Amino acid sequence: MRSKNHVWFEILAFLSFSCSLFYAQDQSIPGAGNQRAIEISGKSPRVQSADKFLLAQAKKIKDQELRKETLDAIGNAQTCIQHRAGLTQQDKERILQELVRAGLVEVKDQTGIPGGLLTGIFPPVIDDGSSCPHLPQSFSSAPGSDFGGHHSYPGGLPIHEANNEMAALSLADDYRKMYGRKAAGSGPEIFIDQDAIIAAPIWHDWAKTIVFQWNADGSEFQELQFGGNGATDDNGRAGDSKTGAHHILGLAEAMKRGLSPLLVITQASAHVAPSLGHEFEVVNWLRTAAIIAQVDPVQKGYLTTDKHGRLRLPPVRDLGSVNLLNADPSQTNLLAEYTIHNRSDADIYFSIPSIKTVQILLRQLAPDFGFDFEDTARYNNGFRNPVLSFLTAERLMMIYAEKGLEGVKNELYTLRARKVLK
């Protein structure tokens, strides 16, 4: 086993390799383009409508504490980032060392992130190190993913979450209708926790406000992938549990705020449902988040151990039934809420190809509206980002499929008429 000092020397040894990236695009300070993104998204009716929908849904949460924390997270511009409260540089380095020792962060991955691993795990925030660090941008200005990925425009985050929220609500109702009735015409028999269905899609991507900040040229920060070593993550067997930092940091925030195991595990299931051999991924994400949040995941009920001493997902409802963890280690404590949330996050299969296609179309049409793709900052800030924020790639993709390039151009003319494009 490597010593603490050896692990840290390993990390320091890679710093020189990341210097060129660091100077190319500084991710150690809040994004210089955050304010511009706030201005763009603040003028988009589509973004504002999505934001209001999410707030309205959050108000329907019955559990008082969960409702309060959820509304605070997305509706309070001065919300405190609790998993970052009071963290010193020494605290961050200690947490990083713990993650490396646990095999949940790969030292070599720091070469791909400007500023290295520390900036990937602890992106810059306002009032960092204080008792109440603040978001570097508004919830409604954040994108839905990395630049060029799904919903990668100012306000893409609330639009993505609103779409996922509607999908989750519909899926839960479908499950109740299909599997929940005793007989034709009778009432529901099964229970699906509506609070978890509402809150999980909101909490899952919340940390994108921190991870995907905006550069001055209208591009975005890069995201660190961690939560495993990518090779032997299934309890030493072949498996890859690396995932985006936004997923891990959102879980860390939910844990630090004391949200329930049901909510946090449902939230963690967004990227994969913990069944059919995938439980280890969700377990590793929860382990990673707990280290960052500085909480004991077993004590808090987010994880448990089976008879072999392996970390597993716990039963979150005590019904006095047989514990499948000890009866058969191939079984997991699986709830319908986990799978519903996972399926509701599947819009990427349309959204990713949409943004890829539409970006090509916009480059082709840009000269007609006085923009040059080679003039990166002006193109992104004045054309690409406003167009996508107001119209969305998904809408333009559907228009293109029906009416071709001319139909897309006509949509852009409406933005020029409204003086969105100048």
Side-chain angles (χ1 to χ4, degrees):
M1 181 176 290
R2 294 174 294 176
S3 69
K4 181 186 296 184
N5 287 337
H6 181 75
V7 169
W8 192 238
F9 284 141
E10 238 181 57
I11 295 172
L12 293 176
F14 277 82
L15 286 176
S16 60
F17 293 100
S18 61
C19 284
S20 59
L21 284 170
F22 180 85
Y23 286 113
Q25 193 176 61
D26 191 353
Q27 291 189 188
S28 66
I29 58 176
N34 289 346
Q35 185 56 44
R36 174 60 178 154
I38 291 172
E39 293 168 1
I40 292 173
S41 61
K43 296 176 182 178
S44 167
R46 200 175 303 273
V47 171
Q48 296 307 307
S49 175
D51 195 47
K52 290 177 181 177
F53 169 74
L54 291 171
L55 287 169
Q57 288 302 308
K59 291 176 181 177
K60 295 179 181 179
I61 296 172
K62 293 181 179 179
D63 182 87
Q64 183 176 351
E65 190 63 21
L66 178 58
R67 182 175 65 250
K68 177 178 74 69
E69 295 294 346
T70 305
L71 286 170
D72 177 73
I74 66 172
N76 178 10
Q78 296 302 312
T79 187
C80 295
I81 307 171
Q82 295 192 20
H83 79 274
R84 294 287 294 272
L87 281 190
T88 65
Q89 186 68 15
Q90 185 178 18
D91 292 328
K92 295 175 185 178
E93 292 173 356
R94 172 180 51 77
I95 290 170
L96 174 55
Q97 290 184 57
E98 186 174 352
L99 290 169
V100 172
R101 285 197 303 272
L104 298 170
V105 171
E106 282 281 273
V107 174
K108 65 182 181 181
D109 288 341
Q110 96 165 357
T111 60
I113 296 294
L117 293 176
L118 282 174
T119 59
I121 299 169
F122 303 102
V125 297
I126 307 300
D127 300 323
D128 194 15
S130 72
S131 61
C132 184
H134 296 111
L135 297 175
Q137 64 177 315
S138 67
F139 174 81
S140 61
S141 69
S145 69
D146 59 316
F147 197 72
H150 70 87
H151 303 90
S152 56
Y153 46 84
L157 176 57
I159 287 177
H160 173 54
E161 285 202 2
N163 185 76
N164 289 357
E165 180 79 9
M166 287 186 277
L169 294 170
S170 296
L171 280 168
D173 283 345
D174 290 342
Y175 270 59
R176 293 183 182 106
K177 291 174 183 176
M178 181 58 65
Y179 306 115
R181 300 189 186 282
K182 296 177 181 178
S186 65
E189 180 182 29
I190 61 170
F191 173 74
I192 294 176
D193 192 289
Q194 189 73 354
D195 281 359
I197 296 300
I198 293 172
I202 295 174
W203 275 102
H204 162 52
D205 284 331
W206 172 85
K208 288 178 178 178
T209 55
I210 305 169
V211 172
F212 294 123
Q213 299 184 45
W214 295 96
N215 296 307
D217 66 357
S219 64
E220 299 173 33
F221 279 19
Q222 297 175 47
E223 182 182 34
L224 178 67
Q225 301 287 315
F226 68 113
N229 62 39
T232 58
D233 292 329
D234 186 3
N235 295 289
R237 298 185 296 269
D240 181 0
S241 60
K242 283 186 175 181
T243 193
H246 74 272
H247 187 51
I248 301 292
L249 299 183
L251 290 169
E253 184 69 13
M255 288 180 176
K256 198 68 174 181
R257 291 181 183 235
L259 302 188
S260 72
L262 171 61
L263 186 281
V264 173
I265 298 171
T266 303
Q267 176 187 344
S269 301
H271 287 182
V272 67
S275 59
L276 303 177
H278 293 283
E279 182 188 5
F280 76 92
E281 295 171 69
V282 179
V283 168
N284 285 341
W285 299 334
L286 293 169
R287 287 175 60 206
T288 308
I291 291 172
I292 294 172
Q294 303 177 87
V295 302
D296 184 330
V298 175
Q299 183 184 58
K300 295 293 184 180
Y302 301 124
L303 294 172
T304 190
T305 54
D306 64 15
K307 64 182 180 180
H308 302 285
R310 293 182 301 212
L311 288 170
R312 303 289 300 275
L313 296 183
V316 298
R317 294 175 183 141
D318 184 10
L319 303 179
S321 58
V322 62
N323 187 346
L324 294 177
L325 293 178
N326 291 327
D328 181 351
S330 69
Q331 295 295 316
T332 180
N333 285 278
L334 178 66
L335 296 182
E337 288 87 342
Y338 305 163
T339 299
I340 290 170
H341 180 47
N342 173 253
R343 291 181 63 194
S344 75
D345 196 40
D347 179 53
I348 58 172
Y349 294 104
F350 182 68
S351 294
I352 290 178
S354 292
I355 193 77
K356 302 300 183 188
T357 300
V358 168
Q359 284 185 138
I360 295 171
L361 303 181
L362 293 182
R363 292 173 193 173
Q364 186 173 343
L365 292 171
D368 294 342
F369 295 86
F371 291 91
D372 179 4
F373 171 69
E374 299 296 332
D375 186 355
T376 304
R378 184 170 181 271
Y379 174 83
N380 285 339
N381 289 319
F383 186 66
R384 177 200 182 273
N385 290 351
V387 166
L388 295 174
S389 183
F390 275 72
L391 299 175
T392 76
E394 294 78 7
R395 174 178 171 80
L396 291 176
M397 183 68 174
M398 289 186 279
I399 289 174
Y400 179 64
E402 180 187 2
K403 301 179 180 179
L405 189 61
E406 196 63 28
V408 175
K409 183 187 290 188
N410 289 335
E411 284 288 296
L412 302 190
Y413 280 136
T414 66
L415 295 186
R416 173 184 276 177
R418 296 162 58 186
K419 300 189 184 303
V420 173
L421 302 179
K422 300 176 183 178

